[in-house]
Amino acid sequence: MKKKIVVFGSFVVDLMGRTPHLPISGETVKGSFFKMGPGGKGFNQCVAAHKTGANVTMITKLGRDSFADVALNTMTELGMPKDGIFFADDTDTGIALILVDQNTSENEIVIVPGACATITKEDTDRTINFIKDAAYVLLQLEVNQDANERIIELANRYGSKVIVNTAPYAPISDEFLSKVYMVTPNEVEAEELTGIPVKNLEGAKKAAEVFHNKGVEKVLITMGSQGVFISADGRQEIVPAFHVDALDTTGAGDAFNGGFLTALSEGYSEWDAARFANATAALSVQKLGTTPSMPTRTEVDAFLADH
Ligand code: ADP
């Protein structure tokens, strides 16, 4: 069995500022705290998979600028392979401007995907060797969608299973879905994509049927502190989340998807992989940030042994 996996998706530098209140149009507010760090759904999910033990290659596109070093330095520190990174000559590395109200934790976010929204056919053609060897390819909806479509074509041609984490929400065609092995929306995305409210098991079952009818073999819907609903092999159940004191749930879905992929690549069933992924996410919500909050395999194994 192929054990390698690929995450194809975004990298952006998170530029986070805390402020006494969120500025209104035209207002300048003096902030109280600033932090810069690696982010982007693709990168976060890849870091989660790598730290939990997967043999994973990140495929993304950066600019030729100092923000690219934020990705490259993180990858060096974590020992991640860099041969799936492409560079744009005339577009900057993506960024996310994140403003957080220090009193209410309300936020405002602007994402400029930059280089990772300019992935060309020439770039995707260069991914063939990674995709050929991969058991699974995990995508999100944060890069240019035509690049995702080409990656899916390649994955299907070479027998790699495609998992799409449908985040952030963007409309996707039935044709696109018909080529996907598994989708992993959260409750909100599941409702946006199917029109069916997903608040409980009944709603999740109905939404899953919509995906199955479009040709998706397996459906996972992450449901925050409730856990994750799975519809696979004729079984439809919720695998409950672990009870923890959540400090910061941003990136919970990314931790879940990365951990889930690690477990699948080791031959776990979806049900066992969901427990592993719930643990990965439960550890991440107890820490601040996205990329830095992803737990190691040792931490996940210890957590599972305790629960
Ligand atoms: P997203 O971050 O994409 O909105 P969810 O909120 O559905 O995704 O969370 C993804 C996963 O993270 C859940 O399926 C669960 O395993 C875990 N999780 C999220 N919030 C909590 C929480 N408060 N306590 C424990 N686990 C959580």
Side-chain angles (χ1 to χ4, degrees), residues 130 146 214 241:
F130 302 115
D146 57 325
K214 292 182 178 180

Side-chain angles (χ1 to χ4, degrees), residues 227-279:
V228 59
F229 165 84
I230 305 181
S231 176
D233 311 318
R235 221 173 122 191
Q236 300 187 309
E237 282 166 35
I238 290 175
V239 180
F242 292 99
H243 292 290
V244 293
D245 285 327
L247 177 67
D248 176 11
T249 58
T250 47
D254 293 339
F256 182 94
N257 278 278
F260 187 71
L261 198 64
T262 295
L264 281 189
S265 75
E266 292 180 16
Y268 286 44
S269 71
E270 280 78 21
W271 311 91
D272 293 341
R275 186 165 180 273
F276 185 93
N278 278 338

Side-chain angles (χ1 to χ4, degrees):
M1 197 191 105
K2 297 197 271 191
K3 288 226 168 112
K4 290 187 183 172
I5 54 180
V6 159
V7 177
F8 176 75
S10 57
F11 171 82
V12 301
V13 173
D14 284 345
L15 301 163
M16 194 272 281
R18 283 183 186 274
T19 117
H21 65 267
L22 297 173
I24 58 163
S25 177
E27 186 187 15
T28 300
V29 180
K30 202 183 258 181
S32 53
F33 177 81
F34 172 76
K35 192 162 172 52
M36 173 169 103
K41 288 186 186 296
F43 195 77
N44 290 338
Q45 292 178 17
C46 191
V47 167
H50 172 79
K51 288 185 75 176
T52 53
N55 186 346
V56 58
T57 301
M58 176 75 213
I59 299 178
T60 191
K61 195 165 183 178
L62 308 173
R64 294 189 190 279
D65 51 25
S66 57
F67 281 172
D69 294 338
V70 177
L72 299 172
N73 293 342
T74 304
M75 295 176 90
T76 303
E77 268 166 41
L78 296 174
M80 296 165 73
K82 290 181 208 152
D83 40 358
I85 304 287
F86 304 125
F87 292 92
D89 289 320
D90 45 15
T91 312
D92 293 335
T93 303
I95 55 101
L97 301 172
I98 305 166
L99 297 182
V100 181
D101 184 314
Q102 69 195 39
N103 301 308
T104 65
S105 294
E106 274 178 286
N107 60 44
E108 283 179 358
I109 302 177
V110 176
I111 294 181
V112 184
C116 66
T118 66
I119 299 170
T120 62
K121 180 164 186 309
E122 206 179 29
D123 296 329
T124 51
D125 283 349
R126 284 162 56 203
T127 67
I128 289 176
N129 282 338
F130 302 115
I131 289 176
K132 250 195 220 160
D133 291 344
Y136 295 93
V137 177
L138 174 64
L139 319 171
Q140 311 76 29
L141 302 179
E142 216 161 42
V143 302
N144 45 310
Q145 181 69 352
D146 57 325
N148 275 339
E149 285 166 10
R150 284 195 298 273
I151 292 290
I152 290 182
E153 298 277 353
L154 292 175
N156 286 337
R157 191 186 308 162
Y158 292 106
S160 308
K161 290 180 171 150
V162 176
I163 303 178
V164 179
N165 173 232
T166 53
Y169 167 74
I172 44 179
S173 68
D174 287 355
E175 200 205 336
F176 182 88
L177 280 176
S178 71
K179 297 176 184 158
V180 168
Y181 171 70
M182 186 187 299
V183 289
T184 64
N186 67 13
E187 293 159 293
V188 177
E189 292 145 14
E191 174 167 353
E192 285 169 321
L193 290 166
T194 64
I196 293 167
V198 178
K199 298 270 175 285
N200 50 32
L201 182 61
E202 285 317 303
K205 280 184 182 174
K206 287 189 191 137
E209 278 316 309
V210 174
F211 287 115
H212 289 313
N213 289 336
K214 292 182 178 180
V216 182
E217 201 171 317
K218 306 201 173 182
V219 178
L220 256 85
I221 305 177
T222 60
M223 302 178 71
S225 57
Q226 286 191 73
V228 59
F229 165 84
I230 305 181
S231 176
D233 311 318
R235 221 173 122 191
Q236 300 187 309
E237 282 166 35
I238 290 175
V239 180
F242 292 99
H243 292 290
V244 293
D245 285 327
L247 177 67
D248 176 11
T249 58
T250 47
D254 293 339
F256 182 94
N257 278 278
F260 187 71
L261 198 64
T262 295
L264 281 189
S265 75
E266 292 180 16
Y268 286 44
S269 71
E270 280 78 21
W271 311 91
D272 293 341
R275 186 165 180 273
F276 185 93
N278 278 338
T280 307
L283 286 161
S284 88
V285 302
Q286 295 176 76
K287 286 194 187 161
L288 280 180
T290 53
T291 301
S293 73
M294 301 306 171
T296 61
R297 179 57 170 262
T298 311
E299 289 170 320
V300 176
D301 284 344
F303 183 90
L304 284 169
D306 278 356
H307 290 77

